Amino acid sequence: MSLQGLSRELSCYLERQVPEGLLAHGVGWSLALAFGLAYACYYLSSVAKKPELVTGSKNFRCFLQDYCPVVTETYYPTVWCWESRLQTLLRPLITSRPYVQYRNTRPTILLLPGLTGSSKESYILHMIQQSKDLGYSMLLVNYLGRPGTETPLKAAAVFSAGWNVFDCVDSLEKPMNWLLFNYYLTSRLQSSVIRHREMFEKLFNMNLVMKAKTIREFDKQFTSVMFGYPTIDDYYTDASPFHRLKTVGIPVLCLNSMDDVFSPNHAIPVEMAKQNPNVALVLTSCGGHIGFLEGLWPRKCTYMDRVFKQFVQAVFEHESKILNM
């Protein structure tokens, strides 16, 4: 019997038995659980797909297919946690935090945590652990310094990038997204500046900063002013990385989920990626924002971790091939 057929049969059976109080017994709950799992499996069978690999270079595509094959594998999200917002919310709560001792050694990988991120984020710790397993060291930075071909970087990987900030804040201001993410992140940003309120009082209207209920309001009153932008639109235009995609001069792998509420799929610069041979987009059908949970109990490695590990290993072990692309 197909998953769809199993789901239909279980549904009909439960509809007949629930009025008789079957759910008050263990067998009823077992059947309810079986129905839920059957529905989840059926749903996943329809949404789980191989990632879409978008790049303007045949050589880059072949390099990834040969040395980073995870980007061509079907991504199966955790069966009970496939919804994008659930993936995003549960990832920091579920995934383990590997013990990491920071020190300087050997070849170095640069990591730039995202908004309100830090060296203690579980996804950062997992990337460091993966690098340690490969024998490489990590450096967490917030600014790369040298642009274009002047950079000493051999390659880069970007995860869950918010390509167009205007679209990102629009998505985060939808009622459910505001409730689950926007208000909390705004509060975190306010907490990061309130400790220095006396100093900031001379430069900002801190009453308006602390009244902000969205990231957009906070950026309007604080971030855009801090960096000297005339308006928030000027700041968001400059902060949207899709503008710079055409000038990327080293191989860059970008992993995004098509259901990421932080970076809506219509804003992902697919056509721009096709025009730059140094850029490869890996687009999964689900995974949320820095989620990509997989396995029945996703405490350990995520799909994003596996992409990171294979790509890093490919760059260092096949350096000549990636430099000659």
Side-chain angles (χ1 to χ4, degrees):
M1 179 182 294
S2 67
L3 286 173
Q4 185 176 11
L6 176 60
S7 176
R8 184 170 55 251
E9 289 295 323
L10 282 170
S11 178
C12 292
Y13 181 81
L14 288 175
E15 287 178 0
R16 293 194 302 269
Q17 298 298 332
V18 166
E20 300 176 14
L22 185 59
L23 288 180
H25 302 84
V27 65
W29 288 114
S30 297
L31 286 171
L33 177 61
F35 169 70
L37 288 175
Y39 175 78
C41 290
Y42 169 65
Y43 179 83
L44 288 182
S45 69
S46 64
V47 301
K49 304 174 183 177
K50 288 186 177 182
E52 181 183 359
L53 181 56
V54 181
T55 178
S57 168
K58 180 180 178 181
N59 291 337
F60 200 179
R61 178 182 295 275
C62 291
F63 177 86
L64 292 173
Q65 290 173 338
D66 291 341
Y67 304 115
C68 189
V70 65
V71 302
T72 65
E73 298 174 4
T74 300
Y75 164 57
Y76 294 96
T78 298
V79 67
W80 51 268
C81 180
W82 67 78
E83 202 275 332
S84 64
R85 288 168 290 213
L86 200 56
Q87 282 251 350
T88 304
L89 288 168
L90 292 183
R91 190 273 309 161
L93 301 176
I94 292 178
T95 55
S96 61
R97 294 177 180 269
Y99 172 75
V100 172
Q101 182 178 359
Y102 293 100
R103 58 190 175 89
N104 293 325
T105 58
R106 300 176 301 282
T108 302
I109 302 167
L110 302 181
L111 278 184
L112 287 80
L115 179 67
T116 73
S118 71
S119 61
K120 296 182 180 180
E121 285 286 348
S122 62
Y123 73 94
I124 292 291
L125 293 173
H126 274 279
M127 289 183 182
I128 294 173
Q129 184 64 52
Q130 298 280 8
S131 302
K132 181 180 178 181
D133 293 343
L134 293 171
Y136 308 134
S137 63
M138 304 291 295
L139 176 63
L140 273 73
V141 297
N142 290 321
Y143 181 62
L144 293 182
R146 299 179 184 176
T149 57
E150 296 178 3
T151 179
L153 300 179
K154 301 184 188 308
V158 180
F159 301 102
S160 298
W163 292 104
N164 188 318
V165 180
F166 292 97
D167 290 314
C168 293
V169 294
D170 285 345
S171 177
L172 287 172
E173 287 173 359
K174 294 179 179 179
M176 183 59 71
N177 297 337
W178 178 86
L179 181 64
L180 293 176
F181 305 110
N182 203 328
Y183 184 74
Y184 169 74
L185 291 174
T186 303
S187 299
R188 287 282 301 272
L189 291 169
Q190 290 168 327
S191 297
S192 68
V193 302
I194 193 62
R195 291 171 295 183
H196 309 286
R197 180 162 187 158
E198 289 186 8
M199 179 182 67
F200 288 138
E201 289 279 10
K202 302 175 183 178
L203 304 172
F204 309 95
N205 186 331
M206 290 302 293
N207 289 329
L208 291 179
V209 171
M210 299 312 297
K211 287 181 180 178
K213 302 300 182 185
T214 66
I215 293 174
R216 190 197 303 265
E217 292 175 1
F218 179 88
D219 287 339
K220 180 179 180 179
Q221 301 298 334
F222 185 86
T223 316
S224 61
V225 179
M226 168 175 273
F227 291 106
Y229 286 94
T231 68
I232 188 175
D233 286 352
D234 293 312
Y235 167 54
Y236 279 175
T237 297
D238 214 22
S240 297
F242 81 92
H243 292 297
R244 298 172 177 81
L245 204 60
K246 63 178 69 173
T247 60
V248 170
I250 61 172
V252 176
L253 177 66
C254 309
L255 175 64
N256 277 90
S257 170
M258 299 295 279
D259 66 357
D260 184 352
V261 299
F262 282 71
S263 185
N265 57 43
H266 64 266
I268 297 176
V270 173
E271 294 305 316
M272 282 189 176
K274 294 178 181 178
Q275 298 170 18
N276 189 335
N278 290 312
V279 175
L281 298 179
V282 178
L283 308 177
T284 60
S285 59
C286 43
H289 183 73
I290 317 181
F292 302 99
L293 300 176
E294 58 185 355
L296 189 59
W297 183 242
R299 283 280 295 164
K300 301 292 185 179
C301 191
T302 68
Y303 178 79
M304 182 178 75
D305 296 328
R306 295 197 292 125
V307 171
F308 171 80
K309 183 176 183 179
Q310 287 192 14
F311 184 64
V312 167
Q313 189 170 15
V315 169
F316 282 115
E317 295 185 0
H318 305 280
E319 178 181 340
S320 60
K321 293 186 178 181
I322 200 168
L323 290 179
N324 293 328
M325 288 196 309

